[in-house]
Amino acid sequence: MATESFPRPIGTRRRFSALLTATALGVYLLLIVGATTSLTNATASCSTWPTCHAPVDPLSQTELAIAWTHRLTALVVGLLVGATALAATVGDASRRVSSVLAVGALLYVVQIGVGALTATVGPAAIVPGLHLALGLVIFSAVVLALAWDLELATGSDDDAIDSPTPLEELDEDISPATERTLPSSRLARARLTARAYFGMTKPRLMWLLCLVAAAGMALAAGPDLELSTILATLGGGVLAIGASGTFNHVLERDVDQQMSRTAERPLAVDLIPVRNALAFGLALTVASLGLFLTINRLAAALGLAAILFYSVVYTLMLKPNTVQNTVIGGAAGALPALIGWAAVTNEIGLPGLALAGLIFLWTPAHFYNLALAYKDDYARGGFPMMPVVRGETVTRKHILYYIAATLASAIALTWITELGMLYAGTVVLFGGIFLWAAVRLHFEQTEAAAFRSFHASNAFLGAVLVAVLVDALAF
């Protein structure tokens, strides 16, 4: 790779990738600011273009500030888009990268015209949603260019796995299940067994999925959310997650023995009999449905659907048979959003579906990082995860695709629910951190970088869900 692949001051391809990342974040910030401008009706306080005249009514000063922020942000982002497209054209970018950026820059000019028309004539002068749609297309174009450029700069043609190293040859310190020594004390054995049952419920997943359900409830009820509904929904959700995790342990106990990260699971080492684990899972299922039924039947039906989907559809049908297992399996993590909404309204509404869509699109961007870190393990287990079947380069590219889709869905949630500035600021800040971690992953390509991006994805969703809770309940 040439040292000076792009005109100064960019120079190197890595700096060009940084410029692309900054442009993508800038366009996304503009989308969020634009959505805020629309929702607060700030456009009405500024009916001139390109500058804004001070309103006669002093109560419009806040709206005027929002409108000015939108205009100034649009100016800065426009310069970024133009500079990026120009650098790609005269620099060492591929034809498809320079082409898609040129299209994005052209659409940005069109977007300026649409914005000017909206400001001077009014929103009725354009097709509803056109301004937002153009912004999303421009954002998608920049992210596509970023993904393609990083693929060219950091990828390789053949990095899939054909024959993984067997577990017994990988680490001599890993003892087979038959060599496990149980404590001699009854109390110590009881503690070990209790920890094993608790571990089967996958407690690490509970906090985030409960947060998803809580956000769904908050969107549906707002400040009127009742404590009894919260307790019953979250209690039923915890039990449903525990049941799903237990059934997953039962069904994957043989495969778990082939993977280093799961070789010590309770059923993989015969610490808990299969029949006891099944009985435990069934008991959790019954208890979960019992709690959900105290709310309404729809919540109970969705809870049962979540258990069956994760335990049967994902574990038995998707995970071992298709490279799209993570994508389709994201429905399991999205269902708590619908459960939370249904617990309050006894129906499935558009805001609940929008939140579920965000979770669904976030799941591949989140889990592909873990699949990269454990790709050899998944290969030993026979699971056709994206890095195993199609390689690390394709997987990293798809992480960027799904991050872009997740951020776009976050904007849709803003429009549908009218969430406020706290939510918007949180999405921009943590979305930027998530995207930057994914870009770094392309250059570093290490297990540590994959885990950094994985944790950034967790931080993004956790922060966004907390922002939804606070915005919906307090404002």
Side-chain angles (χ1 to χ4, degrees), residues 142-166:
V142 176
V143 173
L144 278 176
L146 175 62
W148 292 341
D149 181 72
L150 289 173
E151 180 184 26
L152 179 65
T154 65
S156 58
D157 294 332
D158 185 16
D159 52 6
I161 298 179
D162 295 324
S163 53
T165 305

Side-chain angles (χ1 to χ4, degrees), residues 402-428:
Y402 280 104
I403 288 177
T406 301
L407 294 177
S409 69
I411 294 175
L413 187 61
T414 304
W415 276 80
I416 292 170
T417 62
E418 297 187 5
L419 290 166
M421 293 299 296
L422 175 63
Y423 171 81
T426 301
V427 169
V428 170

Side-chain angles (χ1 to χ4, degrees), residues 272-290:
I272 295 176
V274 173
R275 65 178 183 277
N276 291 7
L278 283 172
F280 181 60
L282 289 171
L284 291 175
T285 301
V286 171
S288 172
L289 295 180

Side-chain angles (χ1 to χ4, degrees), residues 5-89:
S5 303
F6 294 87
R8 293 178 181 272
I10 301 171
T12 64
R13 182 172 294 277
R14 185 157 190 164
R15 288 181 180 175
F16 177 68
S17 297
L19 176 62
L20 271 171
T21 304
T23 304
L25 290 175
V27 174
Y28 187 71
L29 173 62
L30 181 58
L31 284 169
I32 290 288
V33 173
T36 304
T37 303
S38 176
L39 291 174
T40 58
N41 199 29
T43 307
S45 68
C46 181
S47 58
T48 58
W49 193 89
T51 61
C52 289
H53 298 313
V56 177
D57 183 3
L59 295 177
S60 300
Q61 290 294 339
T62 300
E63 287 78 5
L64 181 65
I66 294 174
W68 262 114
T69 301
H70 186 206
R71 301 279 176 92
L72 293 174
T73 304
L75 174 62
V76 174
V77 172
L79 293 174
L80 270 176
V81 171
T84 305
L86 179 63
T89 301

Side-chain angles (χ1 to χ4, degrees), residues 83 106 190 377:
L106 179 62
D377 232 6

Side-chain angles (χ1 to χ4, degrees), residues 129-147:
L130 176 62
H131 203 42
L132 174 63
L134 281 173
L136 289 173
V137 172
I138 296 168
F139 175 66
S140 300
V142 176
V143 173
L144 278 176
L146 175 62

